[in-house]
Amino acid sequence: PRYPSAEKPDEWTDGDFILTHGNAFLSKMIRFGERLRVHGADRRYTWFNHAALVLDDQGTLAEALATGVVRSHADKYLPNEYVVVAGGASPADVNEVLAFANWVLDTRHRYGRLTIVSIAFTVLTGSKFTFFIDGEFICSGFVARAMERTGAIFSRDPVHITPADLAKYYNALPPLTLSRTSNEGAEPRC
């Protein structure tokens, strides 16, 4: 379901994830890169530039930010429009997703800056060459790795999955009204 600014679900479901949009410089660069790779009708998915995993029914999130993979709360995204994507996983798969997320959080994995360089390289050159540092994540790569525990199979390695890729894979459409003038609220720095 889509949520306009200041609205949230009555209850969060662990194992789901959110996709959202920010206007910070890095957010704009992520969308620019996504638009270089995504064309036609699928371009609508490039509205998204951040993903975070829901850990419990209270809205606790796990997300990869510039400071690393951290725990946060979904309320920080209330000023933004966002979409909650239901993973549709079995309880056993959700347990696997949460075990993976908690392991990543407990071992303090860092943000995948080199992964961003790798994605930029492949977008600009058309190469399929991928490079990254094991144990580092970007926001959407972290969510994709978690969703692999539910049986999700992606068309590219999760290290190169973008928020737009997640949106397309799960058919998560962006909000109908896009707030281009508001600079308020949390700025995902994915």
Side-chain angles (χ1 to χ4, degrees):
R2 288 171 262 192
Y3 294 93
S5 299
E7 289 187 24
K8 64 181 180 179
D10 292 330
E11 186 174 299
W12 295 92
T13 304
D14 44 346
D16 289 353
F17 62 93
I18 67 166
L19 293 167
T20 190
H21 172 95
N23 287 312
F25 176 74
L26 185 55
S27 300
K28 290 178 181 179
M29 292 306 297
I30 291 167
R31 284 194 308 280
F32 173 75
E34 288 177 329
R35 288 182 188 123
L36 289 175
R37 185 166 74 181
V38 180
H39 305 282
D42 292 341
R43 187 163 268 198
R44 64 186 170 186
Y45 299 117
T46 64
W47 183 84
F48 299 107
N49 62 276
H50 186 63
L53 186 66
V54 178
L55 297 179
D56 61 31
D57 62 357
Q58 300 300 305
T60 305
L61 301 176
E63 59 185 330
L65 301 173
T67 56
V69 181
V70 298
R71 257 181 237 285
S72 63
H73 197 275
D75 283 353
K76 77 186 230 182
Y77 294 110
L78 283 178
N80 302 27
E81 294 178 285
Y82 60 93
V83 173
V84 177
V85 180
S90 70
D93 287 343
V94 169
N95 287 338
E96 291 293 321
V97 166
L98 297 177
F100 169 74
N102 286 314
W103 173 77
V104 170
L105 287 162
D106 291 345
T107 54
R108 297 196 169 121
H109 282 65
R110 296 178 6 177
Y111 186 73
R113 287 177 176 79
L114 188 63
T115 301
I116 295 293
V117 172
S118 176
I119 292 171
F121 177 78
T122 61
V123 165
L124 294 173
T125 65
S127 170
K128 294 194 182 279
F129 181 67
T130 301
F131 49 93
F132 61 96
I133 296 174
D134 194 30
E136 292 186 358
F137 293 96
I138 62 171
C139 64
S140 47
F142 168 68
V143 170
R145 287 279 187 225
M147 292 298 101
E148 283 184 317
R149 273 81 183 152
T150 69
I153 299 173
F154 299 100
S155 60
R156 65 176 49 92
D157 190 294
V159 77
H160 270 213
I161 293 289
T162 67
D165 294 325
L166 287 171
K168 180 181 177 186
Y169 185 85
Y170 287 93
N171 196 30
L173 300 177
L176 299 175
T177 55
L178 305 180
S179 174
R180 295 179 185 263
T181 58
S182 175
N183 287 326
E184 298 176 35
E187 283 294 330
R189 300 189 195 294
C190 164

